[in-house]
């Protein structure tokens, strides 16, 4: 469990012990979802997260306690997540030096697309109107990539 946290300005979402919670929580509300999240991202409607088992999932904020939607599975070495208006982006370490990659998954689901490959342990990620930015832990570089 990574004990990650993200806020949409009104509600904080956080992971603790394989369970996603909100703060503040509605009176009597249970956990938001059961998920061993390693990183979280939020936008106007859904909460998105990565799992240590290679899943990229989402759940609308008004669907507390319901099963999440899986957008992608089998993505080895997931590390960090970012979202824009149309897509979810994630860094994945891969299986060794220079095998890391950045993937893009449509928010509505669909195939996982490699934005970049051959990266040296990509870790941090951010996205804006101009591109996708990745911090490579392995070689200490920051890489600017086009949004696909």
């Amino acid at each position: 469990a990574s004990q990650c946290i993200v806020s949409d300005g009104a509600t904080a979402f956080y992971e603790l012990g394989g369970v996603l919670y909100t703060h503040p929580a509605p009176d009597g509300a249970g956990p938001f979802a059961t998920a061993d999240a390693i990183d979280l991202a939020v936008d106007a409607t859904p909460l998105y997260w990565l799992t240590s088992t290679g899943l990229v999932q989402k759940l609308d904020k008004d669907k507390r306690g319901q099963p999440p939607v899986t957008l992608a599975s089998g993505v080895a070495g997931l590390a960090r997540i970012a979202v824009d208006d149309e897509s979810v982006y994630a860094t994945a370490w891969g299986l060794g030096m220079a095998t890391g990659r950045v993937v893009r998954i449509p928010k509505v689901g669909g195939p996982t697309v490699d934005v970049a490959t051959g990266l040296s342990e990509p870790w941090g990620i951010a996205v804006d109107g101009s591109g996708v930015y990745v911090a490579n832990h392995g070689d200490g570089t920051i890489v600017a990539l086009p949004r696909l």
Side-chain angles (χ1 to χ4, degrees):
S2 66
Q3 300 176 356
C4 46
I5 188 168
V6 66
S7 174
D8 66 3
T11 304
F13 297 85
Y14 62 98
E15 187 276 344
L16 186 62
V19 178
L20 293 172
Y21 296 97
T22 60
H23 181 79
D27 288 340
F32 181 74
T34 300
D36 190 15
I38 56 174
D39 198 25
L40 306 170
V42 66
D43 67 10
T45 304
L47 175 69
Y48 301 87
W49 63 87
L50 308 175
T51 73
S52 59
T53 58
L55 299 177
V56 179
Q57 297 184 304
K58 74 175 182 179
L59 186 61
D60 285 353
K61 296 176 203 172
D62 63 354
K63 306 289 186 197
R64 174 184 291 276
Q66 296 185 21
V69 174
T70 298
L71 299 175
S73 61
V75 184
L78 286 169
R80 295 291 179 251
I81 188 171
V83 296
D84 68 11
D85 291 340
E86 298 175 1
S87 301
V88 176
Y89 296 85
T91 57
W93 278 37
L95 302 173
M97 290 295 287
T99 63
R101 62 187 180 142
V102 174
V103 296
R104 180 185 60 78
I105 306 105
K107 285 184 173 180
V108 296
T112 300
V113 175
D114 285 336
V115 176
T117 59
L119 300 175
S120 182
E121 300 174 2
W123 191 251
I125 187 167
V127 62
D128 67 14
S130 300
V132 180
Y133 309 92
V134 179
N136 286 306
H137 177 74
D139 62 13
T141 60
I142 303 290
V143 179
L145 305 166
R147 290 174 46 195
L148 298 180

